[in-house]
Amino acid sequence: MFNALHVNDLTLYRSSLIDSFNHIGHAFSTRLGGVSPEPYNSLNLGLNVGDSDENVVRNRDLFLKSINAGQGQLACGVQVHGNRVQRVENPGLFDATDALITDKKNIVLAIKTADCVPVLLYNPVHHVLAAVHGGWRSVKQDIVPKTVNLMSSEYGAKPDDIYCAIGPSIRPCCYEVQRDMADQFPTDSINRKDDRLFLNLVEVIKSQLLVSGLLPGRIDDSEICTCCHYELFFSYRREGAQSGRMMMAAVLKY
Ligand SMILES: [Zn+2]
């Protein structure tokens, strides 16, 4: 279950499943509580979307404080909708990276989204943390199973001990796709309404997680659609190129 919480002027979401572990801090941002003007109002956490860098830096400070972290701890990818997974030993910005894994404490793994699916993976037995940017291209290229496999093969984190949180993202209520795109996904992940097709990308991810060995009771889905709730979230589908970005941030505390 996901819970909304209010920290100063911010509204954040956290997974109660992930919160049941003391060793990890995490949060999913909303668009509320920041300093950016329209159309980035107000907690835009993405650079290079047209907002001023100064505003984004202020906003990142505000957001990261909510998990008692700072920007010097950030590990981010330059997200390209690929399937490269970065092993993170130190904070930094990593080229062409849509997934990050670490077993080091005090490094904040961060994923930026506006409709794409943010996926948090945590193995409390081996203290391994991963964050995935699940856009349709990356999901189709198996970025989620690839990350789970690397957590297992490189860090000894067995899939049946991995806990997962799936944050707010565009859902089949709003995610209309054309046939050529729908054809690239399993038929049971496509909802039909009259002649229109809607992709359930989260269902694709959940199926991949189960095939990878995660247990069903260890997947916590927010069940929140960013495109329906645009007063609360940035939505690329609704707002286009001038959409701000939310952030999922997670850190091993000790
Ligand atoms: Zn929706």
Side-chain angles (χ1 to χ4, degrees):
M1 199 173 90
F2 268 58
N3 298 312
L5 73 161
H6 305 284
V7 182
N8 300 321
D9 291 332
L10 306 183
T11 298
L12 309 169
Y13 279 85
R14 288 220 302 251
S15 154
S16 57
L17 180 68
I18 299 300
D19 259 347
S20 64
F21 300 99
N22 293 328
H23 288 253
I24 180 172
H26 83 288
F28 294 82
S29 74
T30 67
R31 67 187 299 163
L32 304 182
V35 300
S36 297
E38 285 185 21
Y40 308 104
N41 50 311
S42 58
L43 192 73
N44 169 40
L45 298 171
L47 293 164
N48 308 316
V49 296
D51 194 2
S52 83
D53 289 0
E54 193 186 355
N55 288 342
V56 175
V57 167
R58 281 278 306 279
N59 288 337
R60 286 184 174 184
D61 265 340
L62 291 169
F63 174 58
L64 292 172
K65 260 184 206 156
S66 73
I67 56 168
N68 297 315
Q71 297 191 53
Q73 293 168 252
L74 265 183
C76 283
V78 176
Q79 299 174 178
V80 294
H81 298 278
N83 71 348
R84 209 181 72 77
V85 184
Q86 175 72 41
R87 296 179 60 176
V88 176
E89 303 279 324
N90 292 294
L93 181 63
F94 301 94
D95 269 345
T97 295
D98 286 278
L100 306 147
I101 305 179
T102 196
D103 61 356
K104 302 281 184 286
K105 64 182 180 181
N106 293 324
I107 297 178
V108 176
L109 302 187
I111 295 294
K112 290 147 287 164
T113 62
D115 287 342
C116 287
V117 188
V119 181
L120 188 164
L121 299 162
Y122 174 53
N123 179 306
V125 178
H126 293 84
H127 299 290
V128 183
L129 176 65
V132 183
H133 172 232
W136 71 268
R137 287 185 185 84
S138 301
V139 171
K140 199 171 98 60
Q141 294 171 71
D142 291 328
I143 192 167
V144 175
K146 195 175 164 189
T147 305
V148 171
N149 290 341
L150 274 171
M151 288 175 79
S152 176
S153 63
E154 302 291 322
Y155 296 88
K158 283 199 257 158
D160 56 4
D161 284 324
I162 292 177
Y163 292 75
C164 174
I166 299 175
S169 62
I170 192 168
R171 303 284 164 149
C173 42
C174 296
Y175 201 1
E176 185 172 6
V177 297
Q178 301 303 310
R179 170 158 309 279
D180 57 342
M181 185 164 153
D183 285 346
Q184 300 182 53
F185 291 93
T187 48
D188 59 1
S189 63
I190 303 297
N191 297 4
R192 287 159 204 279
K193 211 184 295 168
D194 303 323
D195 288 338
R196 301 164 70 193
L197 304 172
F198 296 84
L199 174 60
N200 191 339
L201 192 58
V202 170
E203 268 317 304
V204 178
I205 291 171
K206 283 183 186 170
S207 303
Q208 292 177 336
L209 287 167
L210 295 176
V211 169
S212 299
L214 270 76
L215 303 178
R218 295 181 175 181
I219 300 171
D220 191 8
D221 179 8
S222 65
E223 298 179 354
I224 298 170
C225 177
T226 45
C227 191
C228 283
H229 301 286
Y230 58 95
E231 73 294 343
L232 193 52
F233 301 103
F234 295 111
S235 169
Y236 192 90
R237 166 85 36 145
R238 192 175 282 277
E239 299 170 275
Q242 286 208 309
S243 170
R245 297 289 188 276
M246 279 95 63
M247 188 178 272
M248 172 185 84
V251 57
L252 296 171
K253 292 193 289 194
Y254 52 88

